[in-house]
Amino acid sequence: CGGFYLMYRLGAGQIDLARQQQDFISAVSHELKTPLTSIRMYGEMLREGWASDEKKKVYYDYIFDESERLSRLIANVLQLARMTRNKLHVEKKSLAVAELMDGVRSRIASQVERAGFELNMHCEPAAGAAVIEVDPDWFIQIFINLVDNAIKFSIDAEQKVIDIGCQRLRDGNVQFSVRDYGPGVPADQMKKIFKLSYRSENELTRETVGTGIGLALVHQLARAMGGQVDVVNREPGAEFRVNIRDSGISS
């Protein structure tokens, strides 16, 4: 009986893994195909001269936005490949939080604006003066993924705002937060959303875009830098928090 049970568990695990892989491939294929098709269509219209001067600006903006979306997807997939091969090599640097947040703003401002959202950034003086040891590229990628996730799941919210903040905690950590004003995260999914390729919607019926790897990468990258990430619901919306310890160096 024990042997049959183990065989059953093994078989069920393999079936579940195959299903996850199939869903992941389907999601990535969909995310690649949709923008590429649109880019090609608008590119052909521009090349053939079928667009008026007024429409040209719209089409150029759309091509740029979709190209940015593809770049974020490819960056996530490449990072995922390194992660699954255990080839994540962190290159930490001691950097002031204020400097890091300036870099975040420069990378995500246009992403938020083009999505039709307002960006609010606030960093407490004590947090801005702190120095933390992080990989700056990973740090920015965490925010790109969190902001991308916030936009996708609050696209229909009445209040189209993304709040980004940082504060220094009593335990010596610096806490970074990204908040949206959407529907929030169901309580039974708060732990699952950080699992690789997890999506709260079925691949055939889902309404939001995405591959389900963005938040998993946020979790892995934060942990590799000695930090941790969690999520809490606000009224309204969801707030993702990343805690990273202060290196103890004054800026």
Side-chain angles (χ1 to χ4, degrees):
C1 290
F4 280 120
Y5 177 73
L6 290 175
M7 290 178 63
Y8 167 77
R9 290 294 301 271
L10 178 61
Q14 292 296 320
I15 292 173
D16 186 57
L17 177 61
R19 180 186 60 78
Q20 291 181 6
Q21 291 175 338
Q22 185 177 13
D23 285 349
F24 174 70
I25 293 172
S26 175
V28 172
S29 299
H30 175 78
E31 290 298 298
L32 288 172
K33 182 178 180 180
T34 302
L36 285 173
T37 300
S38 299
I39 289 172
R40 179 176 180 179
M41 179 184 70
Y42 287 119
E44 288 179 350
M45 293 176 70
L46 290 167
R47 184 187 65 184
E48 298 298 330
W50 295 339
S52 64
D53 290 340
E54 182 181 353
K55 287 292 185 181
K56 283 181 180 180
K57 176 66 165 57
V58 176
Y59 294 165
Y60 284 134
D61 287 344
Y62 190 89
I63 290 172
F64 179 83
D65 291 342
E66 292 300 277
S67 299
E68 288 287 290
R69 176 177 155 194
L70 282 174
S71 296
R72 293 194 296 270
L73 171 61
I74 291 169
N76 280 343
V77 172
L78 291 176
Q79 196 73 281
L80 171 65
R82 299 187 192 100
M83 184 176 72
T84 54
R85 294 197 303 267
N86 294 320
K87 290 187 177 181
L88 282 179
H89 299 298
V90 60
E91 296 183 4
K92 288 186 179 182
K93 298 179 181 179
S94 294
L95 297 168
V97 169
E99 179 183 352
L100 287 166
M101 296 308 286
D102 285 342
V104 168
R105 179 189 289 275
S106 66
R107 287 294 301 274
I108 68 170
S110 61
Q111 175 188 356
V112 174
E113 181 182 351
R114 287 182 172 280
F117 281 70
E118 177 185 345
L119 175 63
N120 290 329
M121 291 189 68
H122 174 71
C123 190
E124 294 181 354
V131 175
I132 58 177
E133 291 187 357
V134 295
D135 184 309
D137 292 333
W138 290 11
F139 185 83
I140 290 176
Q141 186 173 359
I142 285 174
F143 277 90
I144 290 174
N145 285 0
L146 288 178
V147 168
D148 193 44
N149 183 78
I151 291 172
K152 285 187 296 189
F153 286 95
S154 63
I155 194 66
D156 295 323
E158 293 184 6
Q159 193 171 355
K160 294 185 180 297
V161 177
I162 303 297
D163 291 337
I164 295 180
C166 59
Q167 60 178 325
R168 195 166 187 170
L169 304 180
R170 293 181 180 179
D171 62 4
N173 286 342
V174 178
Q175 183 178 90
F176 303 91
S177 60
V178 176
R179 180 192 174 181
D180 62 62
Y181 290 81
V185 181
D188 62 342
Q189 296 176 13
M190 284 190 165
K191 299 297 182 183
K192 298 177 182 178
I193 58 176
F194 295 108
K195 293 182 179 179
L196 182 60
S197 300
Y198 175 79
R199 287 186 57 91
S200 59
E201 304 161 275
N202 182 277
E203 285 300 316
L204 297 177
T205 61
R206 66 180 188 174
E207 297 180 356
T208 54
V209 297
T211 58
I213 64 176
L215 293 180
L217 282 176
V218 167
H219 173 72
Q220 293 291 339
L221 295 177
R223 190 172 65 174
M225 293 188 294
Q228 59 183 9
V229 59
D230 64 2
V231 59
V232 296
N233 279 326
R234 302 287 298 274
E235 292 295 335
E239 181 176 281
F240 286 82
R241 299 172 175 174
V242 180
N243 290 357
I244 298 177
R245 180 162 293 279
D246 184 348
S247 64
I249 304 173
S250 300
S251 62

